[in-house]
Amino acid sequence: MSTLVIAAEPEPIMIETEKTAVVIIDMQRDFLEPGGFGASLGNDVALLSRAVEPCKRLLDAVRAQGMLVIHTREGHLPDLSDAPRAKVERGAPSLRIGQPGPMGRILIRGEPGHDIIPDLYPKADEPVIDKPGKGAFYATELHSLLQRHAIENLVVCGVTTEVCVHTTVREANDRGYRCLVPGDCCGSYIPAFHDAGLGMIKAQGGIFGWVTDSAAILSGLHR
Ligand code: TIU
């Protein structure tokens, strides 16, 4: 077991690699590519692409260490039985969840748009958590999976910073996990919300967790 000290705000954090999982939130074509759910809500999806390379570098490094890597995907069953009406009713009617788009039905499990982008594709042995909500703990097996692996710390990456990353960090914090968020491995359609989201995590002595960047984690891993 190796113990890492990672430079972070509000203070450095010490983590044991075997008790730490890297969770990559929703790096799906539906959020990062034109014609998907993110675009249907009126967003410029190109803003998310800057998180891809840092995530890739981090994944390469943590995979080499044998750390647990978990991916999540937001999406719904084809019959929409797990999609609340309040969620489906958002956005222009022709572009709502379940409607056909260039990458298949929007935000529906099994459709091309629901898949993870090729650059960050999960390895065969990495768990993929399908989630109907914004948080990765709501209505999923994530907590029991982490408990089975005796995980105490999460490195949370992905999109979007203030929506699914933030909701997941809040859920994880209430369940007792220490959350470390590398800001350059996260992205938002709204840059000010990205900054504010990271600010909220580390404020008040780290009320939800720690904020760092991929370079600090890589340097902690290689020290
Ligand atoms: N709209 C938006 O910013 N995000 C989402 O709907 N889902 C995730 O963040 N994955």
Side-chain angles (χ1 to χ4, degrees):
M1 170 136 20
S2 37
T3 302
L4 313 179
V5 181
I6 315 259
E9 293 180 288
E11 60 194 7
I13 180 171
M14 204 184 316
I15 55 172
E16 289 169 3
T17 52
E18 287 180 21
K19 295 182 179 173
T20 303
V22 176
V23 184
I24 311 285
I25 302 286
D26 301 357
M27 291 300 267
Q28 295 161 256
R29 300 183 64 198
D30 251 321
F31 294 106
L32 285 117
E33 293 186 18
F37 182 61
S40 80
L41 298 174
N43 295 303
D44 173 6
V45 295
L47 286 164
L48 302 191
S49 59
R50 68 184 63 163
V52 174
E53 275 306 315
C55 277
K56 215 166 150 184
R57 283 196 296 274
L58 185 69
L59 273 181
D60 287 344
V62 300
R63 281 169 172 158
Q65 292 279 329
M67 286 172 69
L68 178 63
V69 174
I70 299 170
H71 305 259
T72 72
R73 297 184 296 207
E74 181 179 350
H76 296 283
L77 297 168
D79 65 2
L80 298 182
S81 57
D82 61 352
R85 266 187 67 181
K87 183 177 182 184
V88 176
E89 285 167 353
R90 309 293 167 77
S94 64
L95 296 172
R96 286 179 179 167
I97 294 168
Q99 298 299 315
M103 294 190 288
R105 293 178 68 201
I106 292 173
L107 217 61
I108 298 297
R109 293 184 191 171
E111 300 287 338
H114 179 259
D115 211 355
I116 293 174
I117 58 168
D119 275 345
L120 299 176
Y121 213 75
K123 300 280 186 207
D125 60 344
E126 293 171 353
V128 178
I129 302 284
D130 279 315
K131 62 188 188 61
K134 303 305 182 192
F137 288 85
Y138 169 67
T140 73
E141 66 280 23
L142 179 59
H143 189 44
S144 60
L145 172 72
L146 296 171
Q147 287 182 312
R148 262 198 324 278
H149 286 267
I151 295 296
E152 297 178 0
N153 317 299
L154 303 180
V155 176
V156 187
C157 307
V159 296
T160 62
T161 316
E162 80 281 13
V163 181
C164 290
V165 172
H166 227 270
T167 306
T168 298
V169 166
R170 288 169 184 241
E171 288 180 326
N173 181 63
D174 278 350
R175 287 165 176 79
Y177 299 99
R178 296 179 201 90
C179 293
L180 178 61
V181 180
D184 59 330
C185 296
C186 303
S188 172
Y189 303 120
I190 305 164
F193 289 177
H194 172 83
D195 295 341
L198 297 176
M200 284 179 210
I201 290 166
K202 68 187 178 187
Q204 304 185 57
I207 193 82
F208 296 126
W210 288 255
V211 173
T212 187
D213 58 26
S214 58
I217 298 178
L218 296 188
S219 118
L221 280 168
H222 294 135
R223 201 172 294 134

Coordinates of all heavy atoms in Angstrom, one line a residue, residues 39-112:
A39 N -26.1 19.4 -25.7 CA -26.4 20.4 -26.8 C -27.9 20.7 -26.8 O -28.3 21.8 -27.1 CB -26.0 19.8 -28.1
S40 N -28.8 19.7 -26.5 CA -30.2 19.9 -26.6 C -30.7 20.9 -25.5 O -31.8 21.5 -25.7 CB -31.0 18.5 -26.4 OG -31.0 18.2 -25.0
L41 N -29.9 21.1 -24.5 CA -30.3 22.1 -23.5 C -29.7 23.4 -23.8 O -29.9 24.4 -23.0 CB -29.7 21.6 -22.1 CG -30.3 20.3 -21.6 CD1 -29.5 19.9 -20.3 CD2 -31.8 20.3 -21.3
G42 N -29.1 23.6 -25.0 CA -28.7 24.9 -25.4 C -27.2 25.2 -25.1 O -26.8 26.4 -25.1
N43 N -26.5 24.2 -24.8 CA -25.1 24.4 -24.3 C -24.1 24.3 -25.5 O -24.3 23.6 -26.5 CB -24.7 23.4 -23.3 CG -25.5 23.5 -22.0 OD1 -25.5 24.6 -21.4 ND2 -26.2 22.5 -21.6
D44 N -22.9 25.0 -25.3 CA -21.8 24.8 -26.2 C -21.0 23.6 -25.7 O -20.2 23.8 -24.7 CB -21.0 26.1 -26.3 CG -19.7 26.0 -27.0 OD1 -19.5 24.9 -27.7 OD2 -18.9 26.9 -27.0
V45 N -21.1 22.5 -26.3 CA -20.5 21.3 -25.8 C -18.9 21.3 -25.9 O -18.3 20.6 -25.2 CB -21.0 20.0 -26.4 CG1 -22.5 19.8 -26.1 CG2 -20.8 20.0 -27.9
A46 N -18.4 22.2 -26.8 CA -17.0 22.2 -27.0 C -16.3 22.6 -25.7 O -15.1 22.3 -25.4 CB -16.6 23.2 -28.1
L47 N -17.0 23.3 -24.8 CA -16.4 23.8 -23.5 C -15.9 22.6 -22.6 O -15.1 22.8 -21.7 CB -17.4 24.7 -22.8 CG -17.6 26.1 -23.3 CD1 -18.9 26.7 -22.8 CD2 -16.4 26.9 -23.0
L48 N -16.5 21.4 -22.8 CA -16.1 20.3 -22.0 C -14.9 19.6 -22.4 O -14.3 18.8 -21.6 CB -17.3 19.3 -21.9 CG -18.6 19.8 -21.4 CD1 -19.6 18.6 -21.2 CD2 -18.5 20.7 -20.2
S49 N -14.4 19.8 -23.7 CA -13.4 19.0 -24.2 C -12.0 19.3 -23.5 O -11.2 18.4 -23.5 CB -13.2 19.2 -25.7 OG -13.0 20.6 -26.0
R50 N -11.9 20.4 -22.9 CA -10.6 20.7 -22.2 C -10.3 19.7 -21.0 O -9.1 19.6 -20.6 CB -10.5 22.1 -21.7 CG -11.5 22.4 -20.6 CD -11.5 23.9 -20.2 NE -12.0 24.7 -21.3 CZ -12.4 26.0 -21.2 NH1 -12.4 26.5 -20.0 NH2 -12.8 26.7 -22.2
A51 N -11.3 19.1 -20.5 CA -11.1 18.1 -19.4 C -10.6 16.8 -19.9 O -10.1 16.0 -19.1 CB -12.4 18.0 -18.6
V52 N -10.7 16.5 -21.2 CA -10.4 15.1 -21.7 C -9.0 14.7 -21.5 O -8.6 13.7 -21.0 CB -10.9 15.0 -23.2 CG1 -10.5 13.6 -23.7 CG2 -12.4 15.2 -23.3
E53 N -8.0 15.6 -22.0 CA -6.6 15.2 -21.9 C -6.1 15.1 -20.5 O -5.4 14.1 -20.2 CB -5.8 16.3 -22.7 CG -5.6 16.0 -24.2 CD -5.1 14.6 -24.5 OE1 -4.1 14.1 -23.9 OE2 -5.7 13.9 -25.4
P54 N -6.5 16.0 -19.6 CA -6.1 15.8 -18.2 C -6.6 14.5 -17.6 O -5.9 13.8 -16.8 CB -6.6 17.0 -17.4 CG -6.7 18.1 -18.5 CD -7.0 17.4 -19.8
C55 N -7.9 14.2 -17.9 CA -8.5 12.9 -17.4 C -7.7 11.7 -18.0 O -7.5 10.7 -17.2 CB -9.9 12.8 -17.9 SG -11.1 13.6 -16.8
K56 N -7.3 11.8 -19.2 CA -6.6 10.7 -19.8 C -5.2 10.5 -19.2 O -4.9 9.4 -18.8 CB -6.4 11.1 -21.3 CG -6.4 9.9 -22.3 CD -6.5 10.5 -23.7 CE -5.9 9.6 -24.7 NZ -5.9 10.1 -26.0
R57 N -4.5 11.6 -18.9 CA -3.2 11.5 -18.2 C -3.4 10.9 -16.8 O -2.6 10.0 -16.4 CB -2.5 12.9 -18.1 CG -1.9 13.3 -19.4 CD -0.9 14.5 -19.2 NE -1.6 15.7 -18.7 CZ -2.2 16.6 -19.4 NH1 -2.2 16.5 -20.8 NH2 -2.8 17.6 -18.9
L58 N -4.4 11.3 -16.1 CA -4.7 10.8 -14.8 C -5.0 9.3 -14.8 O -4.5 8.5 -14.0 CB -5.8 11.6 -14.1 CG -6.1 11.3 -12.7 CD1 -4.9 11.7 -11.8 CD2 -7.4 11.9 -12.2
L59 N -5.9 9.0 -15.8 CA -6.3 7.6 -15.9 C -5.1 6.7 -16.2 O -4.9 5.6 -15.6 CB -7.3 7.4 -17.0 CG -8.8 7.6 -16.6 CD1 -9.6 7.4 -17.9 CD2 -9.2 6.6 -15.5
D60 N -4.2 7.1 -17.1 CA -3.0 6.3 -17.4 C -2.2 6.1 -16.1 O -1.7 5.0 -15.9 CB -2.1 7.1 -18.4 CG -2.7 7.0 -19.8 OD1 -3.6 6.2 -20.1 OD2 -2.3 7.8 -20.7
A61 N -2.0 7.1 -15.3 CA -1.2 7.1 -14.2 C -1.8 6.2 -13.1 O -1.1 5.3 -12.5 CB -0.9 8.4 -13.6
V62 N -3.1 6.3 -12.8 CA -3.7 5.6 -11.7 C -3.9 4.1 -12.2 O -3.8 3.2 -11.3 CB -5.0 6.2 -11.2 CG1 -4.7 7.6 -10.7 CG2 -6.1 6.2 -12.2
R63 N -4.1 3.9 -13.5 CA -4.2 2.5 -13.9 C -2.9 1.8 -13.7 O -2.8 0.6 -13.3 CB -4.6 2.5 -15.4 CG -6.1 2.7 -15.6 CD -6.4 2.9 -17.1 NE -7.9 2.9 -17.3 CZ -8.4 3.5 -18.4 NH1 -7.7 4.1 -19.3 NH2 -9.8 3.5 -18.5
A64 N -1.8 2.5 -14.0 CA -0.5 1.9 -13.8 C -0.2 1.5 -12.4 O 0.6 0.6 -12.1 CB 0.6 2.9 -14.3
Q65 N -0.8 2.3 -11.4 CA -0.7 2.0 -10.0 C -1.6 0.9 -9.5 O -1.6 0.5 -8.4 CB -1.0 3.2 -9.2 CG -0.1 4.4 -9.3 CD 1.2 4.2 -8.4 OE1 1.1 3.6 -7.4 NE2 2.3 4.6 -8.9
G66 N -2.5 0.5 -10.4 CA -3.5 -0.6 -10.0 C -4.7 0.0 -9.2 O -5.4 -0.8 -8.5
M67 N -4.9 1.3 -9.2 CA -5.9 1.9 -8.4 C -7.3 1.5 -9.0 O -7.4 1.4 -10.2 CB -5.8 3.4 -8.3 CG -4.6 3.8 -7.3 SD -4.3 5.5 -7.4 CE -5.8 6.2 -6.6
L68 N -8.3 1.5 -8.2 CA -9.7 1.2 -8.7 C -10.2 2.4 -9.5 O -10.2 3.6 -9.0 CB -10.6 1.0 -7.5 CG -12.1 0.7 -7.8 CD1 -12.3 -0.6 -8.6 CD2 -12.9 0.6 -6.5
V69 N -10.6 2.2 -10.7 CA -11.2 3.2 -11.5 C -12.7 2.8 -11.8 O -13.0 1.7 -12.2 CB -10.5 3.3 -12.9 CG1 -11.2 4.3 -13.8 CG2 -9.0 3.8 -12.6
I70 N -13.6 3.8 -11.6 CA -15.0 3.5 -11.8 C -15.5 4.6 -12.7 O -15.2 5.8 -12.6 CB -15.8 3.6 -10.5 CG1 -15.3 2.5 -9.5 CG2 -17.3 3.5 -10.7 CD1 -15.8 2.6 -8.1
H71 N -16.4 4.2 -13.7 CA -17.0 5.2 -14.6 C -18.5 5.3 -14.3 O -19.1 4.3 -13.9 CB -16.8 4.8 -16.0 CG -15.3 4.5 -16.4 ND1 -14.6 5.4 -17.1 CD2 -14.5 3.5 -16.1 CE1 -13.3 4.9 -17.3 NE2 -13.3 3.7 -16.7
T72 N -19.1 6.4 -14.6 CA -20.5 6.5 -14.5 C -21.1 7.0 -15.8 O -20.4 7.7 -16.6 CB -21.0 7.5 -13.3 OG1 -20.7 8.8 -13.7 CG2 -20.3 7.2 -12.0
R73 N -22.4 6.7 -16.0 CA -23.1 7.2 -17.2 C -24.5 7.6 -16.7 O -25.2 6.9 -16.0 CB -23.3 6.1 -18.2 CG -22.0 5.5 -18.8 CD -22.3 4.5 -19.9 NE -23.0 3.3 -19.4 CZ -22.9 2.1 -20.0 NH1 -22.1 2.0 -21.1 NH2 -23.5 1.1 -19.5
E74 N -24.9 8.9 -17.0 CA -26.2 9.3 -16.8 C -27.1 8.8 -17.9 O -26.7 9.0 -19.1 CB -26.3 10.8 -16.6 CG -27.7 11.3 -16.3 CD -27.8 12.8 -16.2 OE1 -26.8 13.5 -16.1 OE2 -29.0 13.3 -16.1
G75 N -28.3 8.3 -17.6 CA -29.2 7.8 -18.7 C -30.4 7.1 -18.1 O -30.4 6.8 -17.0
H76 N -31.3 6.8 -19.1 CA -32.5 6.2 -18.7 C -32.9 5.0 -19.5 O -32.4 4.7 -20.6 CB -33.6 7.3 -18.8 CG -33.4 8.4 -17.8 ND1 -33.7 8.3 -16.5 CD2 -32.8 9.6 -18.0 CE1 -33.3 9.4 -15.9 NE2 -32.8 10.2 -16.8
L77 N -33.8 4.1 -18.9 CA -34.2 2.9 -19.6 C -35.1 3.4 -20.8 O -35.7 4.4 -20.8 CB -35.1 2.1 -18.6 CG -34.4 1.6 -17.4 CD1 -35.4 1.1 -16.3 CD2 -33.4 0.6 -17.8
P78 N -35.1 2.5 -21.8 CA -35.8 2.8 -23.1 C -37.3 3.2 -22.9 O -37.8 4.0 -23.6 CB -35.6 1.6 -23.9 CG -34.4 1.0 -23.4 CD -34.3 1.2 -22.0
D79 N -37.9 2.6 -21.8 CA -39.3 2.9 -21.6 C -39.5 4.1 -20.7 O -40.6 4.5 -20.3 CB -40.1 1.7 -21.0 CG -39.6 1.3 -19.6 OD1 -38.7 2.0 -19.1 OD2 -40.1 0.3 -19.1
L80 N -38.4 4.8 -20.3 CA -38.4 6.0 -19.5 C -39.0 5.8 -18.1 O -39.3 6.7 -17.4 CB -39.1 7.2 -20.2 CG -38.5 7.6 -21.5 CD1 -39.3 8.8 -22.0 CD2 -37.1 8.1 -21.3
S81 N -39.1 4.5 -17.6 CA -39.7 4.2 -16.4 C -38.9 4.8 -15.2 O -39.4 4.9 -14.1 CB -40.0 2.7 -16.2 OG -38.8 2.0 -16.3
D82 N -37.6 5.0 -15.4 CA -36.8 5.6 -14.4 C -36.5 7.1 -14.6 O -35.6 7.6 -13.9 CB -35.4 4.8 -14.3 CG -34.7 4.9 -15.6 OD1 -35.2 5.5 -16.6 OD2 -33.5 4.5 -15.6
A83 N -37.3 7.7 -15.4 CA -37.1 9.1 -15.7 C -38.2 9.9 -15.2 O -39.3 9.8 -15.7 CB -36.9 9.4 -17.2
P84 N -38.0 10.7 -14.1 CA -39.1 11.5 -13.6 C -39.7 12.5 -14.7 O -38.9 13.0 -15.4 CB -38.5 12.3 -12.4 CG -37.2 11.7 -12.2 CD -36.8 11.0 -13.4
R85 N -41.0 12.7 -14.7 CA -41.6 13.6 -15.6 C -40.9 15.0 -15.5 O -40.7 15.7 -16.5 CB -43.1 13.8 -15.4 CG -43.8 12.8 -16.3 CD -45.3 13.0 -16.2 NE -45.8 14.3 -16.7 CZ -47.0 14.7 -16.8 NH1 -48.0 14.0 -16.2 NH2 -47.4 15.9 -17.3
A86 N -40.6 15.4 -14.3 CA -40.1 16.8 -14.1 C -38.7 16.9 -14.8 O -38.4 18.0 -15.2 CB -39.9 17.0 -12.6
K87 N -38.0 15.8 -15.0 CA -36.7 15.8 -15.7 C -37.0 15.8 -17.2 O -36.3 16.5 -18.0 CB -35.9 14.6 -15.2 CG -34.5 14.6 -15.9 CD -33.6 13.5 -15.3 CE -32.2 13.5 -15.9 NZ -31.4 12.3 -15.5
V88 N -37.9 14.9 -17.6 CA -38.1 14.7 -19.1 C -38.7 16.0 -19.7 O -38.5 16.3 -20.9 CB -39.1 13.5 -19.3 CG1 -39.4 13.4 -20.8 CG2 -38.4 12.2 -18.8
E89 N -39.4 16.8 -18.9 CA -40.1 17.9 -19.4 C -39.2 19.1 -19.7 O -39.7 20.1 -20.2 CB -41.2 18.4 -18.5 CG -42.5 17.5 -18.5 CD -43.4 17.7 -17.3 OE1 -43.0 18.5 -16.4 OE2 -44.5 17.1 -17.3
R90 N -37.9 19.0 -19.4 CA -37.0 20.1 -19.6 C -36.6 20.2 -21.1 O -36.5 19.2 -21.8 CB -35.7 20.0 -18.9 CG -35.8 19.7 -17.4 CD -36.4 20.8 -16.6 NE -36.8 20.4 -15.3 CZ -35.9 20.1 -14.3 NH1 -34.6 20.4 -14.5 NH2 -36.3 19.7 -13.2
G91 N -36.4 21.4 -21.6 CA -35.9 21.6 -22.9 C -36.9 21.6 -24.0 O -38.1 21.3 -23.7
A92 N -36.5 21.9 -25.2 CA -37.4 21.9 -26.4 C -38.1 20.5 -26.6 O -37.3 19.5 -26.6 CB -36.7 22.4 -27.6
P93 N -39.4 20.5 -26.8 CA -40.1 19.2 -26.8 C -39.5 18.2 -27.8 O -39.4 17.0 -27.5 CB -41.5 19.6 -27.2 CG -41.7 20.9 -26.7 CD -40.3 21.6 -26.8
S94 N -39.0 18.6 -29.0 CA -38.4 17.7 -30.0 C -37.1 17.2 -29.6 O -36.5 16.3 -30.3 CB -38.4 18.4 -31.3 OG -37.5 19.4 -31.3
L95 N -36.5 17.8 -28.5 CA -35.1 17.4 -28.2 C -35.0 16.9 -26.8 O -34.0 16.8 -26.2 CB -34.2 18.6 -28.3 CG -34.0 19.2 -29.7 CD1 -33.3 20.6 -29.6 CD2 -33.3 18.3 -30.6
R96 N -36.2 16.4 -26.2 CA -36.1 15.9 -24.8 C -35.6 14.5 -24.7 O -35.4 13.8 -25.7 CB -37.6 16.0 -24.3 CG -38.0 17.4 -24.0 CD -39.4 17.5 -23.5 NE -39.8 18.9 -23.3 CZ -41.0 19.3 -23.0 NH1 -42.0 18.4 -23.0 NH2 -41.3 20.6 -22.8
I97 N -35.4 14.1 -23.4 CA -34.9 12.8 -23.1 C -35.8 11.8 -23.8 O -37.0 11.9 -23.7 CB -34.8 12.6 -21.6 CG1 -33.8 13.5 -21.0 CG2 -34.6 11.1 -21.3 CD1 -33.9 13.6 -19.4
G98 N -35.2 10.8 -24.5 CA -36.0 9.8 -25.2 C -36.3 10.1 -26.7 O -36.7 9.2 -27.4
Q99 N -36.2 11.4 -27.1 CA -36.4 11.7 -28.5 C -35.3 11.3 -29.3 O -34.1 11.3 -28.9 CB -36.7 13.3 -28.6 CG -37.9 13.8 -27.8 CD -39.2 13.1 -28.3 OE1 -39.4 13.0 -29.5 NE2 -40.0 12.7 -27.3
P100 N -35.5 11.1 -30.6 CA -34.4 10.6 -31.5 C -33.5 11.8 -31.9 O -34.0 12.9 -32.1 CB -35.1 10.1 -32.8 CG -36.5 10.8 -32.7 CD -36.8 11.0 -31.3
G101 N -32.2 11.6 -31.9 CA -31.2 12.6 -32.3 C -30.2 11.9 -33.2 O -30.3 10.7 -33.5
P102 N -29.2 12.7 -33.5 CA -28.1 12.1 -34.4 C -27.3 11.0 -33.8 O -26.7 10.2 -34.5 CB -27.2 13.3 -34.7 CG -27.6 14.4 -33.8 CD -29.0 14.1 -33.3
M103 N -27.3 10.9 -32.4 CA -26.6 9.8 -31.8 C -27.6 8.9 -31.1 O -27.3 8.3 -30.1 CB -25.7 10.4 -30.7 CG -24.5 11.2 -31.3 SD -23.2 11.6 -30.1 CE -24.1 12.9 -29.2
G104 N -28.8 8.7 -31.7 CA -29.8 7.8 -31.1 C -30.7 8.6 -30.2 O -30.7 9.8 -30.1
R105 N -31.5 7.9 -29.5 CA -32.5 8.5 -28.5 C -31.7 9.2 -27.4 O -30.8 8.6 -26.8 CB -33.4 7.5 -27.9 CG -34.4 6.9 -29.0 CD -35.3 5.9 -28.3 NE -36.2 6.5 -27.4 CZ -36.8 5.8 -26.4 NH1 -36.6 4.5 -26.3 NH2 -37.7 6.4 -25.6
I106 N -32.0 10.4 -27.1 CA -31.3 11.3 -26.2 C -31.3 10.7 -24.8 O -32.4 10.4 -24.2 CB -31.8 12.7 -26.2 CG1 -31.5 13.3 -27.6 CG2 -31.3 13.6 -25.1 CD1 -32.2 14.7 -27.8
L107 N -30.1 10.5 -24.2 CA -29.9 10.1 -22.9 C -30.5 8.7 -22.5 O -31.0 8.5 -21.4 CB -30.3 11.2 -21.9 CG -29.4 11.3 -20.6 CD1 -28.0 11.7 -21.0 CD2 -30.0 12.3 -19.6
I108 N -30.6 7.8 -23.5 CA -31.2 6.5 -23.3 C -30.1 5.5 -23.3 O -29.2 5.4 -24.2 CB -32.2 6.2 -24.4 CG1 -33.4 7.2 -24.3 CG2 -32.8 4.8 -24.2 CD1 -34.2 7.2 -23.0
R109 N -30.1 4.6 -22.3 CA -29.1 3.5 -22.2 C -29.1 2.7 -23.4 O -30.1 2.3 -24.0 CB -29.4 2.6 -21.0 CG -29.2 3.4 -19.7 CD -29.5 2.5 -18.5 NE -29.5 3.3 -17.3 CZ -29.9 2.9 -16.1 NH1 -30.2 1.6 -15.9 NH2 -29.9 3.7 -15.0
G110 N -27.8 2.4 -23.9 CA -27.7 1.5 -25.0 C -27.6 2.3 -26.4 O -27.1 1.7 -27.4
E111 N -27.9 3.6 -26.4 CA -27.9 4.4 -27.6 C -26.4 4.9 -27.7 O -25.7 5.0 -26.7 CB -28.8 5.5 -27.5 CG -30.3 5.2 -27.4 CD -30.9 4.6 -28.6 OE1 -30.3 4.8 -29.7 OE2 -31.9 3.8 -28.6
P112 N -26.0 5.2 -29.0 CA -24.6 5.6 -29.2 C -24.3 6.9 -28.3 O -23.2 7.0 -27.8 CB -24.6 6.0 -30.7 CG -25.6 5.1 -31.3 CD -26.7 5.0 -30.3

